Amino acid sequence: MGSEMCIRDRYLMVYYHIFYSWELPHYKKAKSYQFRAQIVKVYAHSINKERDSNVPLYFKAKLLNLNSKEIKQTVFVNLAWYKTKNKLLPSDIITGNAKLRPFRTLQNFGNTNGELWAFYNHIKAKGYIDSKFNIQVIKDNPLSKIQKLKYTVSSIFNESNNNWFYQAVLFGNKSLISIKNKEQFKILGISHLFAISGLHIGMMFAIGFYCLKFTFRLLSIQVNQKYNLNILYTCSGLVFSVIYTLLSGCTVSAIRALIMLCVFSLMYLRGYQYVSYKALQLALLISLLMLSLIHI
């Protein structure tokens, strides 16, 4: 028992130093850091057709360099850019100076632990662009197909009064939800609807599965009985689930649910007992390996 705990503790220490140990170097209040970063996400309330310089531009970026030193770990920062009409897109590269500070939370009863949330999401600092220095945005990085699809779908709802709801359900972006709506959903006990997890992945799988099945029946498509249509229906459901996971930002809970769904679907199609401890163990093993690779 003692040796097992020792091995576990060593593993946790190594994992922490590889993926989580990075901190702002020589941090001082209001210190300006020279940085180079890639835009990961532009928060929805900063997106509009014509940028208003009076409205700050809020975005999440992956640090590539800080004070001319390459960042090898996965390190994200939340930044604000004041008095700018620039429009940013995911994959844009921005260089300049920013005043950064680490996350700190007030340990008062009932407050959200922002520091713990930032730790889980690899967001190591927050701050704002220092406009006294030169700022350069490189837009030569083409968007991936998923990023283009996400940006296109997101822009459809920008003018809607219920944009906050669509952004939360489709992309897991809860930044637009007002305090009043948060309280109402909390009272109703349905706040979990905005946490992308197995419920959403399962619903997308069911939509893909039964939409194709209904289409075959509606069009009266005749298929030779030697072909197993369940394979086609299941693949359709998995495609819907994968696309939704990518659009929602590949959160840990969504990836975990998708991996389990893929394992169970494969075992179901191969005729194995998919509701079993072996299936759960296999799904757990693959989840741990995949999530470890993602953090590299």
Side-chain angles (χ1 to χ4, degrees):
M1 183 67 181
S3 60
E4 290 180 359
M5 291 184 63
C6 184
I7 294 173
R8 183 194 63 186
D9 292 341
R10 288 179 180 177
Y11 169 79
L12 290 175
M13 290 177 63
V14 171
Y15 190 85
Y16 170 79
H17 284 290
I18 293 176
F19 300 116
Y20 288 96
S21 61
W22 189 90
E23 294 181 355
L24 278 175
H26 311 295
Y27 168 70
K28 292 182 180 179
K29 188 176 181 180
K31 181 178 180 179
S32 183
Y33 293 85
Q34 183 183 8
F35 77 97
R36 182 171 181 267
Q38 184 175 28
I39 307 301
V40 175
K41 177 180 181 181
V42 180
Y43 292 106
H45 54 279
S46 300
I47 300 174
N48 49 50
K49 294 181 179 179
E50 295 183 2
R51 284 286 306 149
D52 184 356
S53 60
N54 294 321
V55 180
L57 179 64
Y58 297 98
F59 60 92
K60 177 182 177 182
K62 180 181 179 181
L63 275 183
L64 304 176
N65 294 86
L66 192 72
N67 290 344
S68 301
K69 292 185 178 180
E70 183 182 358
I71 307 297
K72 296 183 179 181
Q73 293 184 351
T74 301
V75 176
F76 297 112
V77 292
N78 279 346
L79 293 173
W81 192 356
Y82 296 97
K83 297 181 180 180
T84 180
K85 290 187 177 181
N86 283 277
K87 294 181 68 175
L88 297 176
L89 293 175
S91 82
D92 287 349
I93 301 293
I94 181 171
T95 59
N97 282 63
K99 293 190 176 182
L100 301 174
R101 64 183 187 276
F103 274 82
R104 295 289 183 266
T105 187
L106 297 175
Q107 298 297 333
N108 295 334
F109 181 77
N111 282 0
T112 302
N113 193 330
E115 188 175 357
L116 184 61
W117 170 84
F119 176 80
Y120 286 150
N121 291 277
H122 293 265
I123 302 176
K124 297 295 186 177
K126 59 183 176 180
Y128 59 92
I129 300 294
D130 193 345
S131 58
K132 295 193 299 292
F133 297 87
N134 183 41
I135 304 166
Q136 184 180 9
V137 178
I138 304 172
K139 292 184 173 290
D140 294 333
N141 301 281
L143 292 172
S144 66
K145 292 182 180 180
I146 290 297
Q147 288 174 325
K148 287 181 180 179
L149 178 60
K150 183 175 180 178
Y151 186 77
T152 302
V153 174
S154 178
S155 61
I156 294 174
F157 304 109
N158 284 342
E159 303 300 328
S160 172
N161 292 330
N162 296 320
N163 182 36
W164 61 272
F165 180 80
Y166 301 130
Q167 294 288 340
V169 173
L170 291 175
F171 309 118
N173 178 16
K174 298 185 280 290
S175 62
L176 293 179
I177 305 176
S178 65
I179 296 177
K180 181 181 178 181
N181 287 329
K182 284 183 180 179
E183 290 298 326
Q184 288 177 341
F185 278 93
K186 189 175 181 180
I187 292 172
L188 293 172
I190 54 176
S191 298
H192 61 279
L193 291 177
F194 298 135
I196 307 301
S197 60
L199 172 65
H200 303 77
I201 303 302
M203 289 177 63
M204 294 307 298
F205 177 83
I207 291 173
F209 186 96
Y210 288 106
C211 277
L212 186 61
K213 190 172 185 178
F214 178 74
T215 301
F216 269 67
R217 291 189 177 183
L218 185 65
L219 300 178
S220 300
I221 299 176
Q222 300 296 326
V223 180
N224 195 313
Q225 290 185 354
K226 70 178 182 179
Y227 297 108
N228 186 0
L229 288 180
N230 279 330
I231 297 177
L232 192 59
Y233 300 151
T234 302
C235 290
S236 175
L238 290 175
V239 168
F240 270 63
S241 300
V242 169
I243 292 175
Y244 180 76
T245 302
L246 293 172
L247 288 176
S248 64
C250 294
T251 60
V252 173
S253 57
I255 293 175
R256 182 174 62 242
L258 180 63
I259 291 173
M260 294 184 72
L261 178 62
C262 291
V263 171
F264 292 162
S265 297
L266 180 61
M267 296 187 75
Y268 164 72
L269 294 176
R270 295 298 300 270
Y272 298 130
Q273 183 64 33
Y274 58 92
V275 182
S276 64
Y277 287 114
K278 287 185 178 180
L280 289 173
Q281 290 173 352
L282 179 59
L284 177 60
L285 176 61
I286 297 176
S287 298
L288 291 173
L289 292 175
M290 289 291 294
L291 294 174
S292 297
L293 291 174
I294 289 171
H295 287 327
I296 294 178

